[in-house]
Amino acid sequence: MGDTGQMSDYNVLIVEDSPTMRQLIAFALKRIRGVRIVEANDGVDGLKKLSSERFDLILTDINMPIMDGLKLVSLVRNDANYKAIPIVVITTEGAQEDRERALALGANDYITKPIQPTKILDVAKSLLRIA
């Protein structure tokens, strides 16, 4: 199984409707060796990408048009193929009930905006079990 450059160690899906935010998150995550980022701009797009490949981690914003992050979390958790994938939700500062709902639906952790790259890195590493 030679290294063809095809196999990345970690596939991470970022579901976020703001391109700027996606860039920021991707930039932080790229400090993890062997990480490959796939971006989706809403929950529907996220589900489509989930169905086409295997992911090790999902980061999703909560407030998005078409399908919000809470809906996405519940769909992922209710699907046998995906339910083991760790999910991090991104919430706005002070949106306590969003966080509680997300965790109740099965999210593993949350990050609040404004996003700190070090926080993203810490959360991602712990969920990907990288020391």
Side-chain angles (χ1 to χ4, degrees):
M1 180 116 185
D3 180 29
T4 54
Q6 277 306 315
M7 286 299 294
S8 54
D9 299 331
Y10 308 104
N11 267 351
V12 179
L13 178 63
I14 299 172
V15 189
E16 159 68 74
D17 57 322
S18 148
T20 322
M21 287 295 301
R22 284 203 307 270
Q23 249 177 330
L24 182 74
I25 298 165
F27 188 72
L29 290 171
K30 285 190 176 133
R31 287 158 63 183
I32 298 174
R33 241 193 77 228
V35 86
R36 182 174 155 267
I37 311 277
V38 174
E39 298 180 13
N41 48 28
D42 63 55
V44 176
D45 189 28
L47 279 178
K48 204 178 346 184
K49 303 225 153 92
L50 268 176
S51 66
S52 61
E53 55 185 312
R54 189 189 60 78
F55 287 98
D56 302 292
L57 181 64
I58 300 168
L59 289 97
T60 179
D61 191 17
I62 286 202
N63 302 309
M64 293 181 291
I66 311 176
M67 183 195 291
D68 71 11
L70 293 171
K71 178 82 176 140
L72 179 65
V73 171
S74 73
L75 288 169
V76 169
R77 282 297 170 255
N78 289 314
D79 187 312
N81 297 314
Y82 312 138
K83 68 167 185 255
I85 307 173
I87 304 175
V88 179
V89 289
I90 299 156
T91 64
T92 42
E93 203 102 68
Q96 187 66 36
E97 63 287 349
D98 277 354
R99 286 203 287 281
E100 284 166 7
R101 281 185 60 201
L103 294 169
L105 288 168
N108 299 72
D109 209 336
Y110 63 87
I111 296 170
T112 42
K113 293 179 182 174
I115 288 186
Q116 307 297 322
T118 50
K119 174 73 173 152
I120 293 179
L121 217 50
D122 290 347
V123 169
K125 280 181 161 173
S126 100
L127 290 172
L128 291 168
R129 299 193 176 83
I130 303 168

